[in-house]
Amino acid sequence: MRIAVLSDIHGNPIALEAVLADIQTQGPIDEYWILGDLVAIGYDPVTVLERVTKLPRVRFTRGNTDRYVVSDELPISIEQIRAQGRLEMLPKLLSTVKSFAWTKGYVTATGWLDWLSRLPLEQRLTLPDGTRLLGVHAAPGTDDGPGIHPRLSEAELEALVKDCNADLICVGHTHIPLDRTVAGVRVVNLGSVSNPVTPELVASYAIVKANNSGYQLQLRRVPYDREAVMEAIRRVRHPAGDYLLGYMRGEYVARKG
């Protein structure tokens, strides 16, 4: 059994096609798992949806940005920014509002909003050797929040996976690949297909190979044509274009430590 697990496509079909092409080099795939953040903060959400829904034997979960698009929620409000004294976040919030509104209009006009609204929180599967696999966008039980990232202590990570009823957990959300084991549970962050925040500025995803004897998981990194993505962002005149371009230029690379 082979499962391709990816997350955080963010409306970027160029990055998606690069990842799908790499997946094809890894042998036959029995299932695709796509763990949320499919459409928002990108230039072409509908092409992404049309492509992934035509994949054979594909499972989905929702991401926080999928929920924001459907519900009109925001990651942080102006009131919270004021209360926290973080006025420097206002420009980013404005770009986020513009991006979500544009995306919602796009997917509504093309008939995809109801489909997005029905995405489940998680996916589960027992692998041939009995390993219990859980796929979720951010962390067990949630599609949002800080997520699973390298700065978590052992105790913090253990608290996140406690009572999750899984042996292998795959997540996305932070856009930072990670592979750690705590309290007998292996936790793998796939990174992201688009909107990279790692210095390499490449896509990443995982292949799970499983049989009756056990499983192997490989994190793969795939470069894609970021210049073509930037040209596409400019061509559609995206209302939050400068914000999206910042990802392609590496302006949001996460700090270490």
Coordinates of all heavy atoms in Angstrom, one line a residue, residues 12 14-15 43 193-196 198-203 222-234 244-251:
N12 N -2.6 27.1 -5.6 CA -1.4 27.2 -6.4 C -1.3 25.9 -7.3 O -0.6 25.0 -6.9 CB -0.2 27.4 -5.5 CG 1.1 27.6 -6.3 OD1 1.1 27.4 -7.6 ND2 2.2 28.0 -5.7
I14 N 0.4 25.4 -10.0 CA 1.8 25.2 -10.5 C 2.6 24.3 -9.5 O 3.2 23.3 -9.8 CB 2.5 26.5 -10.8 CG1 1.9 27.2 -12.0 CG2 4.0 26.3 -11.0 CD1 2.4 28.6 -12.2
A15 N 2.5 24.7 -8.2 CA 3.1 23.9 -7.2 C 2.5 22.5 -7.1 O 3.2 21.5 -6.9 CB 3.1 24.6 -5.8
Y43 N -3.7 32.1 -6.1 CA -4.2 32.8 -7.3 C -5.2 32.1 -8.1 O -5.9 32.7 -8.9 CB -3.0 33.2 -8.2 CG -2.4 32.1 -8.9 CD1 -2.8 31.7 -10.1 CD2 -1.3 31.3 -8.3 CE1 -2.2 30.6 -10.8 CE2 -0.7 30.3 -8.9 CZ -1.2 29.9 -10.2 OH -0.6 28.8 -10.8
V193 N 2.6 22.4 0.2 CA 2.8 22.4 -1.3 C 3.1 23.8 -1.7 O 4.0 24.0 -2.6 CB 1.5 21.8 -2.0 CG1 1.6 22.0 -3.5 CG2 1.3 20.4 -1.6
S194 N 2.4 24.8 -1.2 CA 2.6 26.2 -1.6 C 2.9 27.1 -0.4 O 2.9 26.6 0.7 CB 1.4 26.7 -2.4 OG 1.7 28.0 -2.9
N195 N 3.2 28.3 -0.7 CA 3.5 29.3 0.3 C 4.5 28.9 1.3 O 4.3 28.8 2.5 CB 2.2 29.7 1.0 CG 1.2 30.4 0.1 OD1 1.4 30.4 -1.1 ND2 0.0 30.8 0.6
P196 N 5.7 28.6 0.8 CA 6.8 28.0 1.7 C 7.3 29.1 2.7 O 7.3 30.3 2.4 CB 7.9 27.7 0.7 CG 7.7 28.6 -0.5 CD 6.2 28.7 -0.6
T198 N 10.1 27.9 4.6 CA 11.4 27.3 4.9 C 12.4 27.9 3.9 O 12.1 28.3 2.8 CB 11.4 25.8 4.7 OG1 10.9 25.4 3.4 CG2 10.5 25.1 5.8
P199 N 13.7 28.0 4.3 CA 14.7 28.7 3.4 C 14.8 28.1 2.0 O 15.2 28.9 1.1 CB 16.0 28.5 4.2 CG 15.6 28.3 5.6 CD 14.3 27.5 5.6
E200 N 14.5 26.8 1.8 CA 14.7 26.3 0.5 C 13.6 26.7 -0.5 O 13.8 26.7 -1.7 CB 14.6 24.7 0.6 CG 15.7 24.1 1.5 CD 15.3 24.1 2.9 OE1 14.1 24.5 3.3 OE2 16.1 23.6 3.8
L201 N 12.5 27.2 0.1 CA 11.3 27.7 -0.7 C 10.9 26.7 -1.8 O 10.7 26.9 -2.9 CB 11.7 29.0 -1.5 CG 12.1 30.2 -0.5 CD1 12.5 31.4 -1.4 CD2 11.0 30.5 0.4
V202 N 10.7 25.4 -1.3 CA 10.2 24.3 -2.1 C 9.0 23.7 -1.5 O 8.7 23.9 -0.3 CB 11.3 23.3 -2.3 CG1 12.5 23.8 -3.0 CG2 11.7 22.6 -1.0
A203 N 8.3 22.9 -2.3 CA 7.1 22.2 -1.8 C 7.6 20.9 -1.1 O 8.7 20.5 -1.3 CB 6.3 21.7 -3.0
V222 N 10.2 19.2 -3.3 CA 10.0 19.3 -4.7 C 10.1 20.8 -5.1 O 9.2 21.6 -4.7 CB 8.7 18.8 -5.2 CG1 8.5 18.8 -6.7 CG2 8.5 17.3 -4.7
P223 N 11.1 21.2 -5.9 CA 11.1 22.6 -6.3 C 10.0 22.8 -7.4 O 9.6 21.9 -8.1 CB 12.5 22.8 -6.9 CG 12.9 21.4 -7.3 CD 12.3 20.5 -6.3
Y224 N 9.6 24.1 -7.5 CA 8.6 24.4 -8.6 C 8.9 25.8 -9.1 O 9.8 26.6 -8.5 CB 7.2 24.3 -8.1 CG 6.8 25.2 -6.9 CD1 6.3 26.4 -7.1 CD2 6.9 24.7 -5.6 CE1 5.9 27.2 -6.0 CE2 6.5 25.4 -4.5 CZ 6.0 26.7 -4.8 OH 5.6 27.5 -3.7
D225 N 8.3 26.2 -10.1 CA 8.6 27.5 -10.8 C 8.0 28.7 -10.1 O 6.8 29.0 -10.4 CB 8.2 27.4 -12.3 CG 8.7 28.6 -13.1 OD1 9.1 29.6 -12.5 OD2 8.7 28.5 -14.4
R226 N 8.7 29.2 -9.1 CA 8.1 30.3 -8.3 C 7.9 31.6 -9.2 O 7.0 32.4 -9.0 CB 8.9 30.6 -7.1 CG 8.8 29.5 -6.0 CD 9.6 29.8 -4.8 NE 11.0 29.7 -5.0 CZ 11.9 30.7 -5.0 NH1 11.4 31.9 -4.8 NH2 13.1 30.5 -5.2
E227 N 8.8 31.8 -10.2 CA 8.7 32.9 -11.1 C 7.4 32.8 -11.8 O 6.7 33.8 -12.0 CB 9.9 33.0 -12.0 CG 11.2 33.4 -11.4 CD 11.1 34.8 -10.8 OE1 10.4 35.6 -11.4 OE2 11.9 35.1 -9.9
A228 N 7.0 31.6 -12.3 CA 5.7 31.5 -13.0 C 4.5 31.7 -12.1 O 3.5 32.3 -12.5 CB 5.6 30.1 -13.6
V229 N 4.7 31.3 -10.8 CA 3.6 31.6 -9.9 C 3.5 33.1 -9.7 O 2.3 33.6 -9.7 CB 3.9 30.9 -8.5 CG1 2.9 31.3 -7.5 CG2 3.9 29.4 -8.7
M230 N 4.6 33.8 -9.5 CA 4.5 35.2 -9.3 C 3.9 35.9 -10.5 O 3.1 36.9 -10.4 CB 5.9 35.8 -9.0 CG 6.4 35.4 -7.7 SD 7.9 36.3 -7.1 CE 9.2 35.3 -8.0
E231 N 4.2 35.5 -11.7 CA 3.6 36.1 -12.9 C 2.1 35.8 -12.9 O 1.3 36.7 -13.3 CB 4.2 35.5 -14.2 CG 3.6 35.9 -15.5 CD 3.6 37.4 -15.6 OE1 4.5 38.1 -15.1 OE2 2.7 37.9 -16.3
A232 N 1.7 34.6 -12.5 CA 0.2 34.3 -12.5 C -0.5 35.2 -11.4 O -1.6 35.6 -11.7 CB 0.1 32.8 -12.1
I233 N 0.1 35.4 -10.3 CA -0.5 36.3 -9.3 C -0.7 37.7 -9.8 O -1.7 38.3 -9.6 CB 0.4 36.3 -8.0 CG1 0.4 34.9 -7.3 CG2 -0.1 37.4 -7.0 CD1 1.5 34.8 -6.2
R234 N 0.3 38.2 -10.5 CA 0.2 39.5 -11.1 C -0.9 39.5 -12.2 O -1.6 40.5 -12.3 CB 1.5 40.0 -11.7 CG 2.7 40.1 -10.7 CD 3.9 40.7 -11.3 NE 5.0 40.7 -10.3 CZ 6.0 39.8 -10.3 NH1 6.1 38.8 -11.3 NH2 7.0 39.9 -9.5
L244 N 0.8 37.6 -1.3 CA 1.1 36.3 -1.9 C 2.5 36.3 -2.5 O 3.2 35.3 -2.3 CB 0.1 36.0 -3.0 CG -1.2 35.3 -2.6 CD1 -2.0 36.1 -1.6 CD2 -2.1 35.0 -3.8
L245 N 2.9 37.4 -3.1 CA 4.2 37.4 -3.7 C 5.3 37.3 -2.6 O 6.4 36.8 -2.9 CB 4.4 38.7 -4.5 CG 3.6 38.9 -5.8 CD1 3.7 40.3 -6.3 CD2 4.1 37.9 -6.9
G246 N 5.0 37.8 -1.4 CA 6.0 37.7 -0.4 C 6.4 36.3 -0.1 O 7.5 36.0 0.3
Y247 N 5.4 35.3 -0.2 CA 5.8 33.9 0.1 C 6.7 33.4 -1.0 O 7.7 32.7 -0.7 CB 4.5 33.0 0.0 CG 3.7 33.1 1.3 CD1 2.5 33.8 1.3 CD2 4.1 32.4 2.4 CE1 1.7 33.8 2.5 CE2 3.3 32.4 3.6 CZ 2.1 33.1 3.6 OH 1.4 33.1 4.7
M248 N 6.5 33.8 -2.3 CA 7.4 33.3 -3.3 C 8.7 33.9 -3.3 O 9.7 33.3 -3.7 CB 6.7 33.6 -4.7 CG 5.4 32.9 -4.9 SD 5.4 31.1 -4.8 CE 4.3 30.9 -3.4
R249 N 8.8 35.1 -2.7 CA 10.1 35.8 -2.6 C 10.9 35.4 -1.3 O 12.0 35.8 -1.1 CB 9.9 37.3 -2.6 CG 9.4 37.8 -4.0 CD 9.5 39.4 -4.0 NE 8.5 40.0 -3.1 CZ 7.5 40.7 -3.5 NH1 7.3 40.9 -4.8 NH2 6.7 41.2 -2.7
G250 N 10.2 34.6 -0.4 CA 10.9 34.2 0.8 C 10.9 35.2 1.9 O 11.7 35.1 2.8
E251 N 9.9 36.1 1.9 CA 9.8 37.1 2.9 C 9.3 36.6 4.3 O 9.4 37.3 5.2 CB 9.0 38.3 2.4 CG 9.6 39.0 1.2 CD 8.7 40.0 0.6 OE1 7.6 40.3 1.2 OE2 9.1 40.6 -0.4

